[in-house]
Amino acid sequence: RCLSDWSSDVCSSDLSQVTFAPLRAEDLKAYVKSGEPMGKAGAYGIQGMAASFVKSIQGSHSGIMGLPLYETHQLLSHWVKE
């Protein structure tokens, strides 16, 4: 992601990793049948039913949900001087 103000660009990238526990076929079928994974990047929503399948998260939880808030704040702080 990059931010620009006509005089400079500030860019960053970050990596988040989600590890799922081993899942039984019945659990996956029930999850798909619920409709929750449809239309989601990665076919799961960390804030929904899929959270019960997550063994660990490394990185930004908010980034996994869609917008890495801490990292975005760091980019924006480039222009905000206190």
Side-chain angles (χ1 to χ4, degrees):
R1 109 198 103 260
C2 294
L3 297 175
S4 177
D5 74 349
W6 289 282
S7 63
S8 65
D9 297 327
V10 179
C11 298
S12 75
S13 64
D14 39 81
L15 175 69
S16 295
Q17 180 175 325
V18 178
T19 302
F20 284 79
L23 298 171
R24 299 176 312 156
E26 319 68 267
D27 295 332
L28 288 174
K29 286 178 186 176
Y31 182 61
V32 171
K33 188 176 179 179
S34 77
E36 183 176 295
M38 307 312 170
K40 291 187 171 49
Y44 75 96
I46 193 69
Q47 68 276 28
M49 281 175 51
S52 65
F53 305 143
V54 174
K55 183 177 180 180
S56 66
I57 294 174
Q58 294 178 343
S60 171
H61 186 272
S62 62
I64 293 165
M65 290 180 59
L67 178 66
L69 297 175
Y70 173 79
E71 295 82 354
T72 301
H73 179 266
Q74 295 302 303
L75 282 175
L76 291 171
S77 68
H78 174 77
W79 289 287
V80 178
K81 308 294 183 207
E82 293 186 31

